[in-house]
Amino acid sequence: MRSGCEILMTEPNPTPDPPTPLLDAMTYLLALDQGTSSSRSIVFDEAGRVVALAQRELPQVYPRPGWVEHDPMEIWHGQLATARQALASAGLGAGDIRAVGITNQRETTVLWNRRTGQPVHHAIVWQDRRAESTCVQLREQGHEALIQARTGLLIDAYFSGTKLKWLLDHVPGARAQAERGELAFGTIDSWLIWQLTGGASHATDVSNASRTMLFNVRTNQWDSELLDLLGIPASLMPEVKPSSAHYGEVRPELLGGAIAIGGVAGDQQSALFGQACFKAGLAKNTYGTGCFLLMHTGAQFQTSSNGLLTTSAAQTSAQTEFALEGSVFVGGAVVQWLRDGLNAIQGSAEVEALAQSVPDSGGVMMVPAFTGLGAPYWKPDARGTITGLTRGTTLAHIARAALESIAYQSAALLLAMSRDAVSAGAAPLAELRVDGGASINDLLMQFQADLLGIPVIRPAVTETTALGAAWLAGLSSGVYRGTDELSSLWRAERTFLPTLGTGRAAELMAQWEHAVRQTVLA
């Protein structure tokens, strides 16, 4: 298989105007879902049902402790292969697809040559901590208030801006090439758009741009002062569009015909959209490699007082929309660690049965701070701990503690989010919508409801990240009339009601916070 990166590319042309949609021509949407551990493509019908799915695992690269990389070419090849496979499995051709939506791991950073389309270095993954020294310097120089006021973010190596600075400073010749306008920066959405369009479109959406620490979310523009602060040439940056917009067309030779790219959103904002959380006060939690809890806050920019981030929600127009977000760096990855690191289980699906073989964790607490602690703690130097071990501790207790750690971290986020909501005059959260791979684990979802004391709702279509991208593409291409129509398509599959008393839930959360303090001091 040859990719678009293997041909020479000229400077990108302006994105052409979108074609007039033919409302009766197509009823299928193709979502490209490029995640941390895999690339997937899903064909949805007009009702939001999955027609076909193809997936390819993405190898992880760990050059040093705390560093995480991906091969951008492997991302591109794998994503294209799954798109072709999904279409073949569905028995569809390019002419049957109304539009393509893209959703992606967000802060992961790619730098490539505009002429050749070749990356100058591996992609630096969102989990990577190598830029922490730059973050320390920014904090010491007193830039935290400015950055939070403009971007809604706290200074952290998690975000793309300091990763990009590292590439410019450490890849031989990169800064000089960037100054000459020869390089392009993008998060994974921009990288895929570039390849899909043959370099005709260098673009991103507001939700991905908001995760760079370089984007003013109040004005929806790259911030020249922040670019200068990190030494980032403005010529590197992609054009920023609403999440539902025309991003160009897939080259006909890739999928058998030209297809409009009509929707783009970072994975978590896409999941918020796919969960039909279109209004202030609705929240979702995605249980993936990490866990990501977002609450829609409407058009009002709100700064968190509880360690959360303000981020751009997926936007269907030029009107700003915001969400509060908290990120758990290690969610489902703790199960992968049990499988690959400890060899405690043969497959991830085994963990629920193992955890259910004991009535509780036997006092064991696991804080999986493998890459530091994210919101609401923001302790980048924290490392994982297991406490409460006794001679009676078994592997089943550790497995249960590992699963419960996902719920504890998410509960800490949601409690912080509720405090922010109340302080802003809003009502506390009444329910939590859930998705992601680990949301199929009934034990975990029930424990989550018990800790939170509110219903936890799992949708009938759990592929909400890809669904959000498909819906955004469907809106721009005329498949749907608006978000009210999309809300009517959303369905619940199961609701988990809390069974613990509030007092017992508070005791468990107090034990968790004690374990976190031990982790930070370790």
Side-chain angles (χ1 to χ4, degrees):
M1 179 191 313
R2 296 179 63 83
S3 76
C5 288
E6 294 165 338
I7 63 172
L8 295 182
M9 296 181 183
T10 58
E11 290 293 313
N13 297 317
T15 303
D17 292 333
T20 301
L22 302 173
L23 296 183
D24 59 349
M26 295 171 261
T27 55
Y28 298 97
L29 297 161
L30 174 63
L32 308 184
D33 182 359
Q34 205 299 301
T36 309
S37 57
S38 69
S39 297
R40 305 190 311 153
S41 293
I42 303 179
V43 177
F44 291 95
D45 67 12
E46 196 170 358
R49 295 179 294 246
V50 174
V51 176
L53 182 153
Q55 178 168 329
R56 177 175 291 191
E57 191 167 339
L58 178 63
Q60 311 295 300
V61 181
Y62 303 104
R64 299 184 190 177
W67 291 25
V68 190
E69 296 178 355
H70 289 155
D71 180 349
M73 298 304 297
E74 189 135 25
I75 289 174
W76 163 233
H77 291 155
Q79 192 65 70
L80 179 59
T82 62
R84 289 170 169 167
Q85 184 181 345
L87 289 178
S89 297
L92 300 173
D96 300 307
I97 303 299
R98 177 70 64 82
V100 172
I102 297 174
T103 183
N104 56 285
Q105 51 171 318
R106 295 175 299 176
E107 299 81 6
T108 297
T109 300
V110 187
L111 187 64
W112 68 91
N113 185 288
R114 289 183 178 272
R115 184 179 64 87
T116 66
Q118 291 286 340
V120 303
H121 191 274
H122 275 170
I124 301 180
V125 178
W126 59 272
Q127 298 160 309
D128 190 284
R129 304 303 302 175
R130 76 186 68 185
E132 179 57 30
S133 60
T134 298
C135 295
V136 170
Q137 186 178 25
L138 290 171
R139 295 185 200 106
E140 290 177 346
Q141 292 171 347
H143 296 302
E144 189 133 33
L146 170 69
I147 287 173
Q148 186 172 21
R150 302 274 181 89
T151 70
L153 308 177
L154 302 176
I155 295 174
D156 195 82
Y158 179 27
F159 306 111
S160 308
T162 54
K163 292 175 168 63
L164 177 55
K165 174 177 168 53
W166 187 95
L167 288 169
L168 293 175
D169 290 343
H170 291 85
V171 175
R175 184 166 290 281
Q177 287 179 287
E179 295 288 355
R180 294 194 297 266
E182 297 172 1
L183 301 183
F185 153 76
T187 42
I188 297 300
D189 60 310
S190 298
W191 170 246
L192 292 176
I193 292 167
W194 180 281
Q195 301 303 333
L196 288 165
T197 63
S201 179
H202 181 209
T204 190
D205 90 300
V206 290
S207 69
N208 278 291
S210 75
R211 309 300 294 183
T212 61
M213 220 168 72
L214 301 169
F215 186 70
N216 190 321
V217 296
R218 298 171 186 262
T219 63
N220 277 350
Q221 295 177 327
W222 298 116
D223 192 290
S224 58
E225 188 174 352
L226 297 181
L227 290 171
D228 290 343
L229 184 63
L230 287 175
I232 308 296
S235 62
L236 286 171
M237 310 308 289
E239 178 187 1
V240 183
K241 299 187 176 192
S243 308
S244 183
H246 185 69
Y247 283 82
E249 293 194 347
V250 177
R251 286 181 289 145
E253 65 270 24
L254 294 178
L255 297 176
I259 311 174
I261 303 172
V264 176
D267 51 9
Q268 303 315 317
Q269 288 96 331
S270 189
L272 187 71
F273 201 85
Q275 286 276 34
C277 295
F278 305 132
K279 298 178 181 178
L282 293 175
K284 71 87 196 174
N285 195 20
T286 296
Y287 298 80
T289 304
C291 292
F292 301 88
L293 181 61
L294 274 74
M295 180 180 71
H296 205 294
T297 58
Q300 187 66 37
F301 181 94
Q302 178 183 342
T303 300
S304 172
S305 301
N306 294 280
L308 302 175
L309 306 174
T310 304
T311 195
S312 295
Q315 296 172 11
T316 59
S317 69
Q319 172 64 52
T320 56
E321 295 183 57
F322 300 103
L324 285 177
E325 174 173 343
S327 303
V328 172
F329 293 160
V330 176
V334 72
V335 178
Q336 296 172 337
W337 175 73
L338 287 175
R339 182 192 66 191
D340 303 332
L342 292 187
N343 294 318
I345 53 177
Q346 295 298 309
S348 299
E350 299 175 19
V351 71
E352 183 171 8
L354 182 60
Q356 282 185 323
S357 68
V358 290
D360 53 46
S361 68
V364 176
M365 280 279 183
M366 178 185 292
V367 182
F370 301 152
T371 55
L373 284 172
Y377 308 107
W378 295 108
K379 298 293 183 182
D381 297 328
R383 290 297 176 262
T385 60
I386 302 176
T387 58
L389 299 173
T390 69
R391 284 291 298 270
T393 299
T394 67
L395 184 58
H397 292 110
I398 294 175
R400 186 159 186 133
L403 269 187
E404 290 181 351
S405 74
I406 302 172
Y408 279 122
Q409 292 177 96
S410 298
L413 287 179
L414 192 119
L415 292 172
M417 201 167 278
S418 290
R419 290 193 294 270
D420 278 328
V422 171
S423 67
L429 291 176
E431 66 180 34
L432 178 65
R433 299 181 179 186
V434 298
D435 54 70
S439 69
I440 65 171
N441 189 304
D442 291 348
L443 176 66
L444 173 59
M445 293 300 98
Q446 183 59 57
F447 189 64
Q448 189 72 87
D450 288 342
L451 287 179
L452 296 175
I454 59 175
V456 167
I457 305 174
R458 187 167 61 202
V461 177
T462 57
E463 299 289 354
T464 53
T465 302
L467 181 61
W471 279 357
L472 288 164
L475 283 172
S476 73
S477 59
V479 176
Y480 307 113
R481 292 183 296 273
T483 54
D484 287 346
E485 182 179 356
L486 296 177
S487 292
S488 70
L489 296 177
W490 187 87
R491 296 284 186 275
E493 179 264 329
R494 179 170 175 180
T495 298
F496 297 86
L497 299 174
T499 58
L500 280 184
T502 55
R504 178 56 181 157
E507 288 176 8
L508 290 173
M509 286 304 300
Q511 292 173 20
W512 165 256
E513 295 297 342
H514 177 70
V516 169
R517 289 192 294 272
Q518 291 178 294
T519 298
V520 173
L521 294 174

